[in-house]
Amino acid sequence: MTTVDSEGARLARIALSCLVEPGDRELGTLVRAVGPAAALERVTGGGVSERLRDSVAVRRTGTGSVPADPVRLAEGALERAERLGARIVTPEDDEWPGQLGDLVALSREGGPGGPVDRDTDPPLAIWVRGAAPLDEAFGRSVAVVGARAATGYGTHVATELGYGLAERGWTVVSGGAFGIDTAAHRAALSAGGLTAAVLACGVDRPYPVGNMSLFERLLDEGLLVSEWPAGAAPHRHRFLIRNRVIAAATRGTVVVEAAGRSGARQTLGRARRLGRSAMAVPGPVTSHASAGCHEELRRLDTRLVTNVAEILEEVGRIGDDLAPATPTAQRPHDRLDPLSAQVLDAVLPGRTRTAEEIAAAAGVTAREARRSLPFLVNGGFVAPHEGGYRLARLG
């Protein structure tokens, strides 16, 4: 049951999400200190830094001269979401993914990315199109990300991983971009599983437009998710801000292909700092598309994965999802005990040797050779011939 207080907090979060770019560290700190309703009063009343006050004032005024009422702004966002067949989810709602709260520990003042490194706070609200509850979708999920300019190899691997994860009941999370993202999303849908695209723009204008057929399938069978209100454009910096949500919402991130400088690597780095599983798929050493993966794999805290079983061993609960050992082809000789194998090495294919000659060549005693040779004959490795032994023709 929604209380008056929680409904007021919910509306305040939605209003703040419309007035301030997602992840703003100053705003997030204020909301945690005084609550969303009081924080909204402060940012609209000027009780914050000049930077935050001015950015809020610009958005409240828009193209007009009279500042918009924040509550009406929130109610308008809810009405627009309803017209889109979308919903706005906040921490006051039952389906809110609680693991997003881990983002409070990610901020780095003065980091190399400037505001992108600083403004990594949890979302205040999330716009969603699609039926699956967010907490259930993200509770058992893996991010599969990588290069937009994917190679045939990368597309094949992302397809295998996306299909296999979905087939085993895991949500495949990615960014909806061309290349690796698209391959992972489509594979999950083909498996009849759930997949979510976390966007860097409004859910009413998913980007890139060339993936519209994919986004239409996600509306019916998956999820479109964004921190930005409907109508928001896909500005370049928003992709980097968005990546922290992909990293925080999932149990682990797998990079399939990535160049030296890559948004996928940024997502992986954030997953690592959040304590999530950081995984990368190796590629050909000559491939520029895999250079970033190889750099990541030189780190001790990045796990090399090549298939779904290895991913699930990393992200699954202890004892639930262990990858089987990679099978190796067994030769008949592998069944032999060390002494018999040593004796067999001294038996020739086209020349007969006595037990004593074999013992001398093998460096064992005649007794040891005579004890091993009948076993090798019964196993089909050695054939008796003219009072001695020679190699049998296997197969």
Side-chain angles (χ1 to χ4, degrees), residues 155-195:
T155 300
H156 172 79
V157 172
T159 299
E160 291 287 316
L161 298 183
Y163 191 97
L165 287 166
E167 194 176 37
R168 289 160 177 80
W170 288 76
T171 302
V172 176
V173 179
S174 199
F178 292 134
I180 298 302
D181 292 16
T182 294
H185 286 308
R186 290 196 183 281
L189 291 169
S190 297
L194 182 61
T195 182

Side-chain angles (χ1 to χ4, degrees), residues 23-25 51 107-110 113-121:
D24 189 282
R25 185 65 170 179
R51 175 196 64 82
S107 178
R108 289 191 297 176
E109 285 291 344
V116 169
D117 281 337
R118 181 196 65 217
D119 293 332
T120 55
D121 251 52

Side-chain angles (χ1 to χ4, degrees), residues 147-226:
R148 290 188 297 273
T151 67
Y153 164 80
T155 300
H156 172 79
V157 172
T159 299
E160 291 287 316
L161 298 183
Y163 191 97
L165 287 166
E167 194 176 37
R168 289 160 177 80
W170 288 76
T171 302
V172 176
V173 179
S174 199
F178 292 134
I180 298 302
D181 292 16
T182 294
H185 286 308
R186 290 196 183 281
L189 291 169
S190 297
L194 182 61
T195 182
V198 182
L199 305 175
C201 52
V203 292
D204 58 332
R205 50 183 303 180
Y207 178 88
V209 292
N211 259 351
M212 197 53 65
S213 63
L214 169 63
F215 296 136
E216 287 172 355
R217 285 196 66 187
L218 287 171
L219 288 176
D220 293 333
E221 305 169 50
L223 289 172
L224 292 179
V225 177
S226 179

Side-chain angles (χ1 to χ4, degrees), residues 5 40 69 77 104 112 143 151 196 199 208 276 280 290 314 322 342-343 380:
D5 286 347
L40 180 60
D69 176 72
V104 297
T151 67
L199 305 175
R276 310 298 196 259
S290 290
E314 290 299 306
L322 292 179
Q342 187 174 347
V343 171

Side-chain angles (χ1 to χ4, degrees), residues 53-80:
R53 183 193 66 216
D54 289 352
S55 63
V56 168
V58 167
R59 288 200 173 174
R60 284 188 70 193
T61 304
T63 57
S65 57
V66 179
D69 176 72
V71 174
R72 282 298 306 145
L73 203 62
E75 291 171 346
L78 285 166
E79 291 168 5
R80 186 169 184 180

